[in-house]
Amino acid sequence: MRNKAITLILAMAGLLMMVACDRTVVYNHYEHVDNEGWERTDTMHFYVSPIKHAGTYSQQLMLRTNNQLPFLGISVIVEQDIYPAEQSMGRKLRKRIDCHLVEKNGHILGNGISCYQYTFNVDSLQLNEGDSLHMYVMHYMKQENMPGISDVGILISQ
């Protein structure tokens, strides 16, 4: 009876380890925003090392906010330089993401209690083995300083 319980516990632990390990994530990194707010001139830089396997990759923008954000949403520009291993010239992509954070009735769309986390799809991208990325993220709002944004991140998965 005791051996069955130990076997069951080990099997469940092994299953949890397999489910918890996400081998498809290639890059997951946050940059902290100054406590005074995210200035329009503060560009967040993300450097993705050369990709080991060719394929289609999903890109997501991640934001962490607090209760100081004075808007229902924020517009963000994501630019990326893709440097292929075989060519000396890379590709440049630019996309505007309109991030809806709060509904008009005040319902917060993010996850959290006093700090909220959001994830927004950027694009799918075909990358070759050896390609690397340099990504730039900046806010695209009329107000120069955006209080309430605490972290900006990028997640890339296959």
Side-chain angles (χ1 to χ4, degrees):
M1 183 72 156
R2 182 179 166 125
N3 286 341
K4 286 183 180 180
I6 291 173
T7 303
L8 180 63
I9 291 171
L10 288 175
M12 287 177 26
L15 180 64
L16 283 174
M17 287 177 58
M18 288 187 337
V19 172
C21 296
D22 188 357
R23 296 173 194 248
T24 63
V25 173
V26 174
Y27 184 81
N28 185 0
H29 181 74
Y30 278 93
E31 286 291 325
H32 184 68
V33 175
D34 188 81
N35 290 337
E36 302 297 319
W38 189 8
E39 294 286 337
R40 186 182 303 202
T41 57
D42 291 343
T43 302
M44 303 297 165
H45 294 267
F46 301 91
Y47 300 93
V48 181
S49 299
I51 302 295
K52 294 181 181 176
H53 304 288
T56 303
Y57 290 84
S58 171
Q59 300 172 319
Q60 295 178 312
L61 170 71
M62 301 178 297
L63 296 176
R64 291 182 182 148
T65 68
N66 57 37
N67 291 326
Q68 297 175 0
L69 188 67
F71 299 106
L72 299 176
I74 181 172
S75 290
V76 175
I77 298 292
V78 177
E79 287 186 2
Q80 47 194 323
D81 295 326
I82 304 165
Y83 299 105
E86 303 87 30
Q87 303 171 3
S88 60
M89 288 184 59
R91 294 179 284 167
K92 188 169 196 81
L93 303 173
R94 179 182 171 107
K95 186 162 187 176
R96 177 178 157 180
I97 310 295
D98 291 321
C99 306
H100 301 286
L101 307 174
V102 181
E103 292 178 345
K104 289 182 182 180
N105 65 5
H107 179 262
I108 296 172
L109 299 172
N111 297 320
I113 296 173
S114 63
C115 295
Y116 304 97
Q117 183 162 330
Y118 302 86
T119 303
F120 302 96
N121 289 327
V122 175
D123 217 345
S124 289
L125 186 62
Q126 185 67 34
L127 295 173
N128 298 314
E129 181 180 340
D131 284 355
S132 61
L133 300 170
H134 180 191
M135 299 181 75
Y136 316 85
V137 180
M138 61 217 85
H139 79 75
Y140 189 66
M141 301 289 284
K142 289 182 180 179
Q143 184 170 319
E144 289 291 324
N145 187 332
M146 292 300 301
I149 305 290
S150 59
D151 297 285
V152 177
I154 294 292
L155 173 70
I156 300 175
S157 57
Q158 191 170 23

